[in-house]
């Protein structure tokens, strides 16, 4: 591809590829795709995105195509690889100048240079680093920034390479440029601080951006560039300087209000300083030992004393807590169990920690963690009132302890309590003692403090085992607090339930449990206690014994606890993120419950379905056999509604797990086929029969064939003859099916019998087409823009629904069902496409003349409607 002659053509294609009109966009994209492997194409792209006079969108697209080309065609061994001559020319062109005026494009160019550097630097591109080092020294502000931006991305990319030879090359690079990188960082940092003092905010912001980029470079060099960083004076000098710079930058925060651009950049830089320390500690725990004392002094003073007031912000507090936590629990800083086996470094680090964490320091940290950082904020309380489910998720934080203040605080508390429990246990018990008795609902501070202290006692349950008589505390204090019904006391009720959940598996007498369960089940009417969502798993140690007792018909309390217990069981399953052995084990209670045939049987079926949605394989392998026996007993003497409930379980099981579901419920299936062939008189039952059979035929056709053969023996007929009777009844009773999903399922299932040279199936071809056209009418909607039909049941991806204030958020089961729908043929296969492909295959099988004769068996109006649906395919 000649650059001069091709530039205008490629430019035109790129311009068209930015169009909003798909008629223009698609051909342009296809043309660009074809050019990807043409020699010279990337040279043309380079000339286009380097031309600052062209449209920004076009230049942006040129950069993206270039970047994608590096991934696909830059390596020598890649199919259609770029020639070495063109690559050499491109490398030179990429670093000719650093004057890109658009920030977003500049970042993309820096990233693509880094991608090339990952493959070619330093061997094929030895001039890259020297040119970057020279370019960051220039006086021109724009060129300096763009070169520094590129320098950072190149450093970041080279630091990420993990092969031994690549790491050695990066270490050589680090040694050669580290001094320069430190000087660069100090220069920009000093310039920024001077500009802040003179009040030149615009210039300060520009210098701060350069400080940030040069610090990012130093972070990668410091953490990944040295095998023994503690032996390098410049590295250790930089790390010690970080503490002083942090203090200077934190003081600068006082000059800017929250939300201002300068404050935002300042906070970003401060966080980067802390990342330098955290990364170095993670990758080089022993070289970090000389920094332990200073790190602890710095972090503790800003987070747990008045020093930090007015300057600290949440993310910084989180980073400081992470720094303390990583030092406290680091195995490299603990002596071996046998002191003689300890290395000198272990002992030195342990000595530093022991000297720092005095009784006074630990007491202050413990008190402040609980009384300051454990307190619920106004924002959290408001969230609880307005959206309790989101509050439960936000509070527990999942895996976000490194980034979110509340879970980070709790993790730090646990680690410090575990390592220094002798000192902190009396501190916490004193806080508990000060809050004995019911709290004053008119005193919100006291309520919040009790919530915080109870939270701490729950978290430290295993550490407090020998120091707290939890049974006495439950009887004398906690039980009474659960029974206080005042609306404002719900904060404490909720926390007490959680607290008991933490202790019940640690220390709680069995004879107290029935009393506890009665109280808890009465509290299940409190929406603030049930709306926990996926985080309900944290209460399993408490919830599951409640469910076990209240649904066990051999236990006397079930008489008055059963209804609430079943509701709790169902809610727990619906909100469970994953199956657990304990949750699975409770299902042993179900067989006896089904025998009761009480008014609670509908809830029992909902529970069974919830288990299937939660973990079909585990559940069916453990319980399907027993469940099948129970269902066989039930079907002998059950209402029509009960019969439908049983069949729905089977249908769901086959939908979720076609092979396992069909196999496990095989004893029930002959009755289903028998019901179809003999024309079941109740429409709702017949509809369910056809739903179950449709699932098997469509999703487990081999099993369907064997089942049909088995039934043919019973009827003393040929299997084909029985199949014909079944299809005939299916066509006749299609109107019994009212749900559009099942109607589409029927069409998919019967069309799946094609192509076929079986005379029986060909004999029923007319009926199969009738059902398919009916279903097409049900599911196809016309797109007014394209005047074409589309299947309205197709789902391509899962989206969290947008909720109004009155709507409940989806349960975990709701999410599971939607994800399952993405794999369900009813929602993943276009009926229009499926019918077309099956008819085409039948035509190929029979030939045009034979197929035409087959089509003539179908009513002409039906054929016309069918052709209208599949026209254009």
């Amino acid at each position: 591809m000649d650059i001069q002659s091709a530039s205008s053509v490629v430019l035109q294609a790129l311009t068209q590829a930015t169009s909003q009109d798909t008629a223009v966009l698609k051909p342009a994209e296809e043309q660009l795709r074809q050019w990807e492997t043409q020699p010279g194409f990337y040279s043309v792209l380079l000339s286009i995105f380097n031309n600052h006079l062209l449209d920004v969108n076009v230049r942006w697209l040129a950069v993206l195509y270039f970047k994608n080309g590096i991934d696909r065609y830059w390596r020598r061994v890649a199919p259609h690889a770029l020639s070495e001559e063109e690559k050499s020319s491109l490398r030179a062109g990429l670093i000719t100048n650093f004057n890109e005026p658009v920030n977003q494009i500049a970042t993309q160019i820096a990233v693509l240079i880094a991608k090339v550097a990952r493959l070619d630097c330093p061997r094929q591109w030895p001039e890259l680093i020297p040119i970057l080092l020279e370019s960051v020294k220039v006086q021109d502000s724009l060129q300096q920034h763009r070169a520094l931006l590129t320098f950072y991305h190149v450093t970041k990319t080279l630091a990420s390479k993990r092969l031994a030879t690549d790491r050695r090359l990066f270490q050589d690079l680090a040694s050669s440029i580290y001094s320069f990188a430190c000087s660069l960082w100090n220069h920009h940092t000093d310039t920024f601080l001077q500009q802040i003092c003179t009040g030149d905010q615009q210039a300060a912001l520009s210098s701060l951006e350069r400080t940030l980029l040069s610090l990012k470079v130093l972070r990668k060099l410091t953490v990944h560039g040295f095998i023994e960083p503690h032996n390098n004076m410049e590295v250790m000098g930089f790390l010690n300087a970080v503490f002083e710079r942090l203090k200077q930058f934190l003081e600068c925060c006082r000059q800017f209000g929250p939300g201002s651009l300068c404050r935002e950049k300042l906070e970003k830089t401060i966080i980067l300083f802390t990342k330098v320390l955290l990364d170095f500690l993670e990758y080089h725990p022993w070289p970090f030992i000389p920094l332990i004392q200073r790190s602890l002094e710095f972090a503790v003073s800003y987070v747990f004393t008045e020093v930090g007031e007015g300057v600290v912000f949440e993310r910084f507090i989180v980073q400081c807590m992470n720094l303390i936590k990583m030092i406290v629990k680091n195995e490299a800083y603990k002596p071996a169990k046998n002191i003689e086996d300890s290395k000198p470094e272990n002992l030195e680090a342990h000595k530093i920690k022991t000297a720092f964490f005095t009784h006074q320091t630990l007491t202050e940290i413990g008190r402040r963690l609980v009384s300051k950082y454990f307190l619920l904020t106004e924002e959290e309380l408001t969230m609880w009132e307005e959206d309790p489910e989101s509050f439960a998720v936000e509070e527990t934080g999942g895996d976000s302890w490194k980034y979110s203040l509340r879970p980070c605080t709790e993790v730090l508390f646990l680690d410090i309590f575990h390592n220094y429990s002798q000192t902190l246990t009396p501190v916490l018990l004193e806080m508990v003692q000060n809050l004995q008795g019911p709290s004053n609902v008119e005193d919100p501070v006291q309520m919040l403090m009790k919530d915080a202290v109870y939270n701490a006692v729950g978290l430290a349950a295993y550490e407090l085992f020998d120091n707290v008589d939890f049974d006495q505390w439950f009887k004398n204090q906690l039980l009474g607090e659960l029974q206080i019904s005042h609306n404002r006391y719900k904060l404490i009720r909720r926390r007490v339930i959680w607290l008991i959940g933490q202790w019940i598996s640690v220390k709680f007498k069995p004879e107290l449990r029935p009393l506890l369960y009665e109280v808890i089940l009465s509290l299940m009417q409190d929406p603030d206690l049930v709306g926990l969502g996926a985080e309900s798993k944290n209460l399993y140690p408490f919830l599951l014994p409640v469910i076990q007792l209240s649904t066990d018909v051999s236990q006397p309390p079930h008489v008055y606890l059963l209804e609430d217990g079943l509701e709790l069981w169902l809610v727990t399953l619906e909100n469970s993120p994953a199956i657990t052995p304990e949750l699975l084990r409770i299902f042993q209670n179900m067989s006896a419950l089904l025998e009761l045939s009480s008014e609670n049987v509908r809830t029992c079926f909902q529970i069974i379905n919830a288990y299937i949605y939660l973990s079909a394989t585990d559940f069916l392998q453990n319980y399907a056999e027993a469940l099948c026996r129970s269902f066989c007993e039930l079907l002998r003497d059950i209402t029509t509604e009960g019969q439908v409930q049983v069949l729905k379980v089977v249908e769901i099981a086959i939908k979720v797990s076609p092979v396992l579901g069909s196999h496990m419920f095989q004893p029930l299936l002959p009755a289903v086929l028998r019901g179809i062939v003999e024309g079941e008189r109740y429409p709702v039952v017949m509809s369910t029969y056809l739903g179950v059979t449709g699932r098997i035929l469509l999703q487990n056709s081999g099993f369907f064939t064997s089942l049909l053969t088995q039934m043919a023996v019973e009827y003393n007929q040929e299997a084909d003859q029985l199949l014909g009777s079944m299809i005939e009844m299916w066509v006749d009773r299609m109107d019994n099916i009212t749900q559009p999903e099942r109607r589409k399922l029927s069409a998919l299932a019967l069309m799946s019998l094609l192509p076929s040279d079986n005379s029986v199936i060909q004999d029923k071809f007319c009926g199969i087409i009738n059902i398919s056209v009916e279903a097409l009418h049900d599911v196809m909607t016309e797109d007014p823009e394209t005047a074409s039909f589309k299947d309205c049941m197709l789902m391509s991806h899962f989206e969290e629904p947008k909720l109004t204030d009155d709507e409940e958020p989806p349960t975990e089961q709701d999410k599971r069902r939607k994800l399952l729908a993405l794999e369900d043929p009813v929602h993943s296969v276009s009926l229009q496409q499926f019918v077309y492909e099956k008819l085409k295959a039948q035509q190929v099988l029979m030939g045009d003349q034979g197929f035409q004769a087959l089509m003539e068996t179908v009513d002409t109006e039906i054929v016309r409607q069918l052709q209208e649906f599949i026209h254009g395919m």
Side-chain angles (χ1 to χ4, degrees), residues 753-851:
L753 293 168
L754 303 179
S756 175
D757 56 5
N758 184 309
S759 60
V760 172
I761 293 175
Q762 291 184 9
D763 184 53
K764 304 302 177 188
F765 180 80
C766 172
I768 293 173
I769 295 301
N770 286 349
I771 280 186
S772 300
V773 171
E774 278 190 47
L776 283 166
H777 278 291
D778 292 329
V779 305
M780 301 303 288
T781 56
E782 191 169 5
D783 187 340
E785 291 185 9
T786 61
S788 61
F789 289 99
K790 62 180 181 181
D791 190 329
C792 66
M793 286 193 183
L794 290 182
M795 294 172 60
S796 58
H797 60 284
F798 173 66
E799 285 186 359
E800 288 282 359
K802 292 183 174 63
L803 303 175
T804 65
D805 292 340
D806 299 330
E807 289 180 311
E808 291 290 322
T811 64
E812 292 298 301
Q813 179 162 304
D814 292 331
K815 296 174 187 176
R816 282 191 285 273
R817 291 176 67 171
K818 287 194 175 179
L819 288 172
L820 176 66
L822 294 179
E823 301 174 5
D824 183 351
V826 172
H827 297 290
S828 63
V829 175
S830 164
L831 180 58
Q832 178 189 34
Q833 185 74 25
F834 192 75
V835 169
Y836 172 78
E837 289 174 356
K838 289 295 183 178
L839 290 177
K840 199 72 179 171
Q842 188 70 31
Q843 184 178 18
V844 170
L845 177 69
M846 300 183 70
D848 291 346
Q849 190 173 352
F851 181 71

Side-chain angles (χ1 to χ4, degrees), residues 573 576-588 608 610-627 653 656-657 660-661 664-665:
L573 287 167
S576 176
I579 196 71
T580 67
E582 296 78 16
L583 196 54
L584 199 57
R585 199 174 300 125
I586 297 175
F587 194 80
Q588 293 171 355
I608 294 166
Y611 271 106
I612 295 172
Y613 282 122
L614 181 58
S615 183
T617 302
D618 290 324
F619 174 68
L620 293 175
Q621 287 178 343
N622 280 277
Y623 292 111
E625 190 176 337
L627 197 57
V656 175
S657 182
L660 191 60
M664 290 297 186
F665 288 111

Side-chain angles (χ1 to χ4, degrees), residues 340-353:
E340 288 80 14
D341 296 334
S342 301
K343 295 182 179 179
E345 293 88 350
N346 299 129
L347 297 175
E348 183 187 355
H350 182 66
K351 182 180 177 182
I352 295 170
K353 288 199 310 183

Side-chain angles (χ1 to χ4, degrees), residues 729-743:
M729 190 58 71
W730 204 324
V731 173
D732 184 58
R733 301 295 290 275
M734 180 69 171
D735 287 342
N736 287 171
I737 306 175
T738 56
Q739 305 96 321
E741 289 86 355
R742 274 205 188 137
R743 290 175 68 81

Side-chain angles (χ1 to χ4, degrees), residues 134-368:
E134 286 303 312
S135 299
V136 297
K137 298 177 188 175
V138 300
Q139 294 302 308
D140 182 87
S141 177
L142 179 66
Q143 288 190 36
Q144 185 189 72
H145 179 272
R146 297 319 192 214
L148 191 53
L149 178 68
T150 306
F151 187 30
Y152 159 61
H153 280 286
V154 169
T155 308
K156 177 184 176 183
T157 299
L158 295 179
S160 68
K161 299 178 78 172
R162 285 291 169 261
L163 290 177
T165 52
D166 292 325
R167 293 176 70 176
R168 280 196 295 273
L169 286 171
F170 186 72
Q171 288 157 9
D172 292 341
L173 172 67
S175 297
S176 65
I177 69 171
Y178 196 82
S179 180
F180 172 79
C182 282
S183 300
L184 192 69
W185 169 66
N186 274 314
H187 166 71
H188 289 307
T189 305
D190 288 336
T191 304
F192 163 72
L193 292 171
Q194 288 165 10
Q195 289 163 339
I196 284 291
C197 290
T198 59
D200 190 350
Q201 285 196 25
Q202 197 58 43
L205 199 58
S206 178
S207 294
L208 183 56
E209 177 66 23
R210 287 158 176 73
T211 300
L212 189 63
L213 285 171
S214 54
L215 182 58
K216 285 181 175 181
V217 171
L218 269 177
R219 176 189 175 196
K220 296 300 178 184
L221 295 175
T222 303
V223 174
H224 301 290
F226 300 90
I227 298 174
E228 297 180 333
H230 53 297
N231 292 333
N232 187 303
M233 289 181 61
E234 282 187 307
V235 172
M236 299 310 290
F238 162 67
L239 289 168
N240 275 293
V242 163
F243 295 102
E244 293 307 316
R245 292 303 199 189
L246 263 171
K247 291 177 183 177
Q248 291 172 326
F249 275 63
L250 284 163
E251 283 304 310
C252 288
C253 284
R254 296 186 191 276
Q255 300 183 37
F256 305 99
S260 68
L261 186 58
C262 214
R263 173 68 181 244
E264 188 180 308
K265 284 283 185 187
L266 264 173
E267 290 186 1
K268 199 172 181 180
T269 309
I270 289 166
I271 293 304
L272 188 58
F273 278 124
T274 62
K275 285 181 177 179
V276 171
L277 296 173
L278 286 164
D279 284 359
F280 193 76
L281 170 55
E282 181 180 352
Y283 285 92
H284 305 285
W286 284 356
F288 193 88
I289 289 174
L291 302 169
I292 290 177
Q293 178 76 20
R294 201 164 184 188
S295 297
L296 289 173
E297 287 174 350
F298 175 84
V300 170
S301 65
Y302 273 95
V303 176
F304 296 109
T305 74
E306 289 72 25
V307 171
E309 289 184 6
V311 296
V312 298
F313 50 96
E314 182 171 310
R315 185 77 193 279
F316 172 71
I317 295 170
V318 168
Q319 294 291 88
C320 285
M321 287 185 174
N322 285 335
L323 189 59
I324 298 169
K325 181 192 78 69
M326 287 178 70
I327 292 172
V328 166
K329 71 180 298 186
N330 201 309
E331 291 300 318
Y333 300 159
K334 297 175 182 177
K337 289 183 179 179
N338 186 356
I339 203 74
E340 288 80 14
D341 296 334
S342 301
K343 295 182 179 179
E345 293 88 350
N346 299 129
L347 297 175
E348 183 187 355
H350 182 66
K351 182 180 177 182
I352 295 170
K353 288 199 310 183
T354 303
F356 178 81
F357 286 114
T358 62
H359 185 279
Q360 182 180 351
T361 300
L362 285 168
T363 299
E364 189 62 23
I365 290 173
R367 286 189 188 281
R368 291 221 178 202

Side-chain angles (χ1 to χ4, degrees), residues 32-84:
L32 288 165
R33 189 186 66 77
Q34 292 176 10
W35 283 337
E36 282 181 359
T37 56
Q38 291 294 310
F41 177 59
Y42 295 95
S43 299
V44 174
L45 291 178
L46 177 64
S47 69
I48 289 173
F49 68 70
N50 273 341
N51 186 344
H52 303 162
L53 299 177
L54 296 176
D55 179 72
V56 170
N57 293 322
V58 172
R59 295 175 57 231
W60 168 265
L61 198 58
V63 173
L64 293 185
Y65 270 96
F66 193 107
K67 192 170 71 169
N68 292 337
I70 295 171
D71 293 330
R72 294 173 186 163
Y73 309 116
W74 198 273
R75 286 182 171 83
R76 292 180 183 178
V77 295
H80 310 291
L82 276 73
S83 68
E84 291 303 313

